[in-house]
């Protein structure tokens, strides 16, 4: 289950070099090439699934999430880390091969509704639960 046009499939098959952090039979983890935090690692299954909108087996999902702890240990994230999974267009998923971001190495703010909504193309139509306009 590989997609010959997928860059992450090529990384999983060692056809494209990366800064590898961890590997086992099911997945490989490597440093993101455009880190958003001092530690920014991507965990990908070796098999191809577009994202959470695909039929990713529970075993693969669970394994990738379990591996976040191994990454945290390897990278010394003793104060915690953030996991992020973007799915599809509206989440700005740029590589359509399921992956888990592991971010850490500093305090990350909790995103609030206002910040998220600001980026939406329909920001002027986003209201909070009381009917107040949030942005725009
Ligand atoms: P997403 O926007 O959730 O699809 O995340 C894709 C991530 O993959 C981005 O953070 C990119 O910087 C990263 N990325 C894309 N190609 C590579 C690559 N060849 N090596 C390392 N990271 C990559």
């Amino acid at each position: 289950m590989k997609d010959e046009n997928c860059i992450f499939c090529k990384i999983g098959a060692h056809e494209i070099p990366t800064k590898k952090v961890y590997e086992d039979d099911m997945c490989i983890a490597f440093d993101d090439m455009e880190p958003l935090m001092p530690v920014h690692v991507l965990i990908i299954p070796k098999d191809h699934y577009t994202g959470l909108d695909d039929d990713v087996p529970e075993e693969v999902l669970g394994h990738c999430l379990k591996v976040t702890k191994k990454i945290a240990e390897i990278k010394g994230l003793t104060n915690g880390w953030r996991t992020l999974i973007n799915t599809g267009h509206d989440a700005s998923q740029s590589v359509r091969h399921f992956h888990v971001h592991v971010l850490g190495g500093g305090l990350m703010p909790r995103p609030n509704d206002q910040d998220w909504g600001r980026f939406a193309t329909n920001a002027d139509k986003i209201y909070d639960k009381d009917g107040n306009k949030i942005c725009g």
Side-chain angles (χ1 to χ4, degrees):
M1 286 186 287
K2 306 271 189 276
D3 177 339
E4 61 182 25
N5 297 313
C6 172
I7 185 164
F8 281 4
C9 281
K10 289 180 181 161
I11 287 174
H14 305 109
E15 290 166 17
I16 292 181
T18 51
K19 289 190 184 157
K20 189 170 83 174
V21 177
Y22 171 84
E23 181 171 8
D24 59 31
D25 289 348
M26 198 179 280
C27 74
I28 185 164
F30 51 94
D31 288 328
D32 195 294
M33 67 180 187
E34 290 180 11
L36 299 173
M37 285 293 291
V39 173
H40 188 169
V41 173
L42 302 176
I43 304 166
I44 65 167
K46 291 182 176 176
D47 283 335
H48 184 79
Y49 308 99
T50 55
L52 288 177
D53 51 353
D54 203 350
D55 199 13
V56 191
E58 288 178 17
E59 191 191 358
V60 174
L61 289 174
H63 184 72
C64 288
L65 290 180
K66 275 274 211 189
V67 166
T68 64
K69 185 162 180 267
K70 287 191 202 293
I71 303 305
E73 282 162 7
I74 292 166
K75 291 287 191 177
L77 300 178
T78 50
N79 274 334
W81 66 93
R82 176 169 288 167
T83 47
L84 176 73
I85 302 171
N86 293 318
T87 307
H89 174 271
D90 282 5
S92 300
Q93 184 184 6
S94 58
V95 180
R96 289 291 275 152
H97 179 122
F98 172 73
H99 53 279
V100 179
H101 296 253
V102 177
L103 298 151
L107 183 63
M108 289 163 277
R110 289 177 69 92
N112 60 42
D113 294 343
Q114 221 155 358
D115 285 342
W116 282 119
R118 204 153 45 83
F119 297 111
T121 51
N122 61 346
D124 60 330
K125 298 184 190 65
I126 298 177
Y127 298 86
D128 67 18
K129 62 180 169 36
D130 300 319
N132 301 310
K133 216 174 196 184
I134 290 177
C135 338

